[in-house]
Each structure stands twice: as C-alpha cells, then as structure tokens.
C-alpha cells in the first residue's frame, strides 16, 4: 500500500471518529487532510444551492454559493475572504467567469478537475486569473464537486501557491479518490450548515444550538454555553426542527445519521 493510500485511509478514519456535533471542526480536518495529500498551501469549502427562481439565460443555471469558507493558514494572503465576497457579488450581478461556468456545467455528478482540465490556454492570460489567482499568490487549483442532492452541492478547492509546480494528474486522482469515499461526511456537512433545507443557511446561533442538540446537551446546558435562557434555546430548537421537518431531537438525530428524512 502506498503512502498516499495510507494517508487517505487515515483521513477517513479521523473524520469518522469526530463527533457529529463538531461540524466546523470536521470541515477543517478534511481540508487539512486534503492539503497534506497533494501538498496544497490553501483550501476552501463552498456550499452551493440551486435557487427555485432563476433569470433567463443564467450561465450557472440558478446555482449560488451560500457559504464560502477559506482556511486561515500561515501561507494565506489575508485577502482571500475579501476576494471571495467580491466574486460572489459579481456572480449575483451576472458577471460569471468561464471557470465557474465550466465547473457548474458538471452539476449533478461527482467530479474533480484541475484548472488545465477545464479551461483553455488563453484563460490563464486573462484578468480573472491574474486577479483571483496570481493576485492571491495562487498558481493552480484543484476543484472537487460533490452532488449532495438535486439542489445542493459542495465544492472543495485546493490551491498551490506561486513558486510551486502546478498540480499533476496524479494529484487530481488522489483528491477525487479521497472525496468519493466520504459521501456520508459530505451529507453531514450539508446538514450541519443548514443547506439541505432551502436557500438560506442556518444562522450562526442556530448552528450553535444545533451543535448542542446533536451533542446531547439539555436546553439548560446549551443556554449556559450560549449565555442565554433555556426558553430562548427552546425557541431556537423548535425553529431548527421545523426547518428540518422533524418533530423532536430524536428525529433530528435520526436524520443526521442517515436513518430518516
């Protein structure tokens, strides 16, 4: 068995051992593990939903990013999140880059691509690559798309910084293999961020209450953790149950573990 196989299996095992309530921690473990597999210097996680109403001629067919998370690493330029917000605003305004169009064109299928797999040579001479890649100290990327259901997808991006070689085909295949073995994990991530329930993700406070519910805490214990009142926590819990179309905590846990819904 190769070193890459050993590292991939170790990543799968590490993710399986994380409590279901620790959604954001699990996401960081995934990104750290994937970066290590292919010597990437930066990573991001995007949760996207397909909106019910789309404009005619929409090049991304109604798909919109609803959560964009960039890891904070020693190599990060510090402007990654600002650049990501700018890209989202452009997309909402109908200014969609070819790289996004090509990635979304595969919606509904598991896929992993390098930039060179998706885009023509002249794209690398254009403004988008100069601004959002070279301008962010990035020379290459691998993007992996995960269809969770017909209206929700996860995208994981891994970046090589300037001064490093572009990703190889073997790197792409390594990421594809690692991601494909984690269907259960991607589903939990989507649930944990509230993306499977509509166009709007859970609020930060709702996610914190959800974490407590899945961790087995009582309303009083969650309230103490959040410096709130049990009544307020109960109201948020009821709101979460309605959003997930379940009646109580037991049904919510069953949904989380893939036993219902």
């Amino acid at each position: 068995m190769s070193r890459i196989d050993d590292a991939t299996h170790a990543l799968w095992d590490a993710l399986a051992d994380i409590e279901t309530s620790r959604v954001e921690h699990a996401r960081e473990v995934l990104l750290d593990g994937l970066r290590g597999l292919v010597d990437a210097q930066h990573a991001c996680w995007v949760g996207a939903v397909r909106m019910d109403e789309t404009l005619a001629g929409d090049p991304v067919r109604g798909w919109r990013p609803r959560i964009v998370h960039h890891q904070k690493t020693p190599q990060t330029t510090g402007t990654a999140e600002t650049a990501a917000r700018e890209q989202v605003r452009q997309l909402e305004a109908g200014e969609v880059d070819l790289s996004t169009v090509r990635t979304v064109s595969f919606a509904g299928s598991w896929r992993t691509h390098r930039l060179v797999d998706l885009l023509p040579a002249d794209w690398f001479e254009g403004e988008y690559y100069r601004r959002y890649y070279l301008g962010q100290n990035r020379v290459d990327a691998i993007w992996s798309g995960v269809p969770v259901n017909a209206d929700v997808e996860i995208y994981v991006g891994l970046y090589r910084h300037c001064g490093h070689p572009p990703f190889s085909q073997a790197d792409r295949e390594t990421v594809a293999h690692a991601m494909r073995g984690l269907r259960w994990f991607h589903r939990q991530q989507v649930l944990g961020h509230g993306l499977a329930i509509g166009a709007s993700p859970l609020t930060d406070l709702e996610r914190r209450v959800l974490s407590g519910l899945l961790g087995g805490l009582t309303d009083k214990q969650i309230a103490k953790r959040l410096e709130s009142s049990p009544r307020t926590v109960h109201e948020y819990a009821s709101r979460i149950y309605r959003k997930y179309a379940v009646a109580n905590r037991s049904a919510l846990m069953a949904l989380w573990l893939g036993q219902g819904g």
Side-chain angles (χ1 to χ4, degrees):
M1 187 175 293
S2 71
R3 178 189 65 81
I4 292 296
D5 287 336
D6 287 341
T8 300
H9 296 163
L11 173 60
W12 290 347
D13 289 343
L15 293 172
D17 288 339
I18 298 174
E19 296 177 4
T20 57
S21 61
R22 303 186 68 193
V23 175
E24 294 184 1
H25 171 68
R27 181 185 63 195
E28 295 305 299
V29 171
L30 170 70
L31 296 181
D32 284 339
L34 292 174
R35 286 198 298 113
L37 286 176
V38 294
D39 188 29
Q41 286 72 54
H42 184 62
C44 72
W45 186 99
V46 179
V49 299
R50 183 164 58 182
M51 307 297 289
D52 291 333
E53 296 181 5
T54 63
L55 296 175
D58 182 357
V60 288
R61 298 181 294 169
W63 286 98
R64 295 292 186 273
R66 282 295 170 259
I67 298 177
V68 180
H69 168 73
H70 279 268
Q71 274 198 309
K72 291 180 173 61
T73 66
Q75 298 89 355
T76 303
T77 64
T79 60
E81 292 184 353
T82 300
R85 287 192 294 270
E86 184 175 292
Q87 289 169 285
V88 171
R89 287 195 297 270
Q90 290 175 348
L91 189 151
E92 294 287 2
E95 302 172 11
V96 186
D97 184 69
L98 179 61
S99 58
T100 303
V101 174
R102 290 283 177 85
T103 300
V104 173
S105 70
F106 293 94
S109 64
W110 290 76
R111 69 276 194 194
T112 301
H113 296 110
R114 301 168 297 168
L115 294 180
V116 71
D117 300 322
L118 288 172
L119 299 158
D122 60 359
W123 181 86
F124 294 88
E125 303 297 327
E127 176 61 25
Y128 191 91
Y129 181 71
R130 286 196 296 269
R131 182 176 182 84
Y132 295 111
Y133 280 87
L134 299 181
Q136 296 294 313
N137 192 32
R138 303 166 186 164
V139 68
D140 198 12
I142 289 177
W143 281 98
S144 191
V146 177
V148 179
N149 60 40
D151 297 308
V152 180
E153 296 209 334
I154 286 174
Y155 299 91
V156 170
L158 300 168
Y159 300 97
R160 283 261 176 90
H161 280 185
C162 296
H164 295 264
F167 288 110
S168 66
Q169 184 173 334
D171 292 328
R172 182 191 66 194
E173 292 171 354
T174 294
V175 173
H177 176 64
M179 290 288 283
R180 194 62 178 88
L182 290 170
R183 184 175 184 180
W184 63 271
F185 175 82
H186 301 308
R187 185 176 186 275
Q188 284 187 353
Q189 283 287 301
V190 162
L191 287 170
H193 289 88
L195 290 172
I197 54 178
S200 299
L202 295 179
T203 66
D204 289 340
L205 186 54
E206 286 172 341
R207 282 201 296 271
R208 294 172 68 187
V209 171
L210 175 62
S211 176
L213 294 172
L214 295 174
L217 301 182
T218 65
D219 286 0
K220 288 184 178 180
Q221 290 171 323
I222 297 172
K224 183 177 181 180
R225 174 188 287 184
L226 301 183
E227 298 181 349
S228 184
S229 69
R231 181 176 179 178
T232 298
V233 169
H234 179 75
E235 291 174 353
Y236 272 96
S238 297
R239 187 183 304 172
I240 291 168
Y241 298 150
R242 287 195 299 272
K243 285 188 174 183
Y244 284 105
V246 297
N248 50 42
R249 188 188 302 220
S250 296
L252 180 68
M253 182 62 77
L255 177 64
W256 218 265
L257 297 176
Q259 299 167 357

